[in-house]
Amino acid sequence: MASQGIAAETLKIGMVAPLTGPAAESGRFQVNGAKLAADEVNKAGGVLGKQLELVIEDDQTTNPGAVLAFSKLAGDSDIPAFIGSIRSTQVHAMAPDVIKTGKPMMIGGTDPKLTHMGNPWLFRFRPNDTYSARVIAEYGVNVLNRKKWAIVHSTDAFGTAGKNALAEQLKALGAEVMITQGYTNNSQDFTPVALAVKQAGAEVLSSYVTFETDQGILAKQMRQLGVDLPWIGSTTIATTSALRLAGAALNGTYGVTDYTEKASPASEAFAQKYMAAYGTKADVFAAWPFDAVTVLAKAINNAGGTDPEKIRAAIMDISGLAGAEGTYDFDQNGDGLHGYNIVHNDNGTIVFERRIDFKD
């Protein structure tokens, strides 16, 4: 277990993060983002007059690990709320215990079902994939003018939901899905996937990839096997870790990402703070926990105490709050954001193209 702060009189926030396993690098970003926000909150006077303390448990980058990590945190009656996972499959695994615990959990998983399955305690700090699918489809069809599509996706909850949403959006725009190819997380050989895409007659490649390691291997093998289609991917395609792992194999690709440095003044301010604190660029893995801790601290202060129902109501009341990820307006389902950024990989540099928000 890791924690920030040792003062006896603190207000604890529980956090589940991958400190070990294949997503450990992204876990460092998540913890850094949360700590950066906690430091800001504490310098401004804390929460309910107390210093904020992060209590962090390792999910080991697995579903059972996430369940175990949450159970440890839920057993501490002094913790009124939690920062959950960016992985939809892990949030699904923890969700039944979150309901039993009856306290708010801030999440980064983007499977739309997470906030539509009757769990009142999940609050999403990234836009769900109904929005990412709309942005990928509209940009690919209307801007890149591509009508024949290949979709590559993880077969977990995130990848399957994204694939289904994208196929639906493409159909609505009159585009054709030539092939879909699923793969299991932590794959080492994407040769069958790449060859199938190469032979499908597609004009554009789209992807929903969960882990940065898979994104790096997939990109390298796609290029090695001659797949040079325009490529629009989910957020992982533009993350710091994926760019490092894939190198030039991702040059020229497009991504839909909830966080990018140039998207807004709030995004730029966060990027500068993160660079000053850690000496490296931030990405989505750091941005959403930063916002989650910021919003949660505000909500607990507004609630005037740690009663879970009052904290929940205070989160739902938050509107027009500019964060690193976007402007938060929580809807009845607990979704705080409703749009994505389009970015372009210009020889290894992520360039902001445009922000697309939706009212429906």
Side-chain angles (χ1 to χ4, degrees):
M1 182 178 71
S3 67
Q4 179 194 350
I6 57 173
E9 193 64 19
T10 61
L11 192 146
K12 297 179 182 179
I13 297 298
M15 183 175 186
V16 175
L19 306 181
T20 60
E25 184 172 3
S26 70
R28 287 192 292 274
F29 278 96
Q30 291 174 61
V31 171
N32 286 347
K35 285 183 175 179
L36 188 62
D39 288 344
E40 283 200 353
V41 169
N42 288 337
K43 287 176 183 176
V47 179
L48 303 178
K50 300 179 180 180
Q51 292 289 280
L52 197 63
E53 176 187 354
L54 296 178
V55 182
I56 306 166
E57 289 289 347
D58 182 14
D59 66 28
Q60 305 170 56
T61 320
T62 68
N63 289 4
V67 173
L68 178 60
F70 178 71
S71 70
K72 290 179 180 178
L73 294 170
D76 187 341
S77 61
D78 291 334
I79 296 178
F82 310 91
I83 309 298
S85 178
I86 195 173
R87 317 289 178 186
S88 295
T89 183
Q90 291 181 358
V91 179
H92 276 293
M94 291 184 286
D97 288 340
V98 174
I99 292 179
K100 291 178 185 176
T101 303
K103 295 178 179 179
M105 174 179 272
M106 318 298 108
I107 63 170
T110 53
D111 178 3
K113 293 179 182 177
L114 288 169
T115 52
H116 290 74
M117 59 186 187
N119 189 334
W121 299 108
L122 297 180
F123 295 89
R124 194 184 335 247
F125 281 76
R126 300 176 62 222
N128 74 56
D129 282 322
T130 59
Y131 303 115
S132 69
R134 288 172 72 174
V135 173
I136 289 173
E138 290 184 18
Y139 194 80
V141 173
N142 297 327
V143 178
L144 300 183
N145 197 31
R146 307 288 172 156
K147 295 295 182 68
K148 297 180 179 181
W149 288 65
I151 303 175
V152 174
H153 67 98
S154 164
T155 54
D156 68 7
F158 159 72
T160 300
K163 177 262 295 185
N164 291 338
L166 179 56
E168 182 179 339
Q169 293 297 324
L170 290 171
K171 182 179 180 181
L173 292 174
E176 182 180 2
V177 177
M178 308 298 290
I179 189 172
T180 59
Q181 286 285 292
Y183 70 89
T184 56
N185 288 334
N186 302 310
S187 293
Q188 295 297 313
D189 185 8
F190 289 92
T191 300
V193 172
L195 291 177
V197 169
K198 187 176 181 179
Q199 297 165 6
E203 299 174 332
V204 62
L205 169 63
S206 57
S207 61
Y208 276 87
V209 176
T210 301
F211 291 110
E212 310 90 271
T213 48
D214 288 336
Q215 182 73 74
I217 296 170
L218 174 64
K220 286 184 175 180
Q221 293 183 8
M222 281 284 186
R223 299 317 190 197
Q224 287 166 359
L225 292 168
V227 179
D228 57 359
L229 299 171
W231 188 346
I232 311 175
S234 63
T235 299
T236 305
I237 204 169
T239 58
T240 302
S241 299
L243 295 176
R244 178 180 56 78
L245 292 166
L250 284 177
N251 287 357
T253 57
Y254 296 88
V256 290
T257 182
D258 31 311
Y259 167 77
T260 189
E261 180 177 341
K262 299 296 184 181
S264 72
S267 301
E268 289 195 83
F270 165 71
Q272 291 166 5
K273 293 173 188 175
Y274 193 93
M275 176 62 76
Y278 302 112
T280 187
K281 285 190 174 183
D283 67 9
V284 61
F285 291 113
W288 82 266
F290 177 86
D291 286 349
V293 171
T294 302
V295 168
L296 186 53
K298 180 179 177 64
I300 295 173
N301 273 328
N302 288 348
T306 57
D307 177 80
E309 289 286 357
K310 291 182 178 179
I311 296 172
R312 181 184 183 278
I315 296 171
M316 295 291 282
D317 283 343
I318 286 175
S319 178
L321 191 153
E325 292 262 324
T327 300
Y328 288 90
D329 290 289
F330 285 91
D331 62 23
Q332 62 184 1
N333 300 309
D335 280 307
L337 299 170
H338 310 278
Y340 272 90
N341 306 300
I342 289 283
V343 296
H344 179 236
N345 183 326
D346 183 8
N347 291 319
T349 299
I350 297 300
V351 178
F352 173 63
E353 295 275 331
R354 66 182 71 179
R355 172 82 182 182
I356 302 175
D357 281 299
F358 299 95
K359 298 298 184 183
D360 57 334

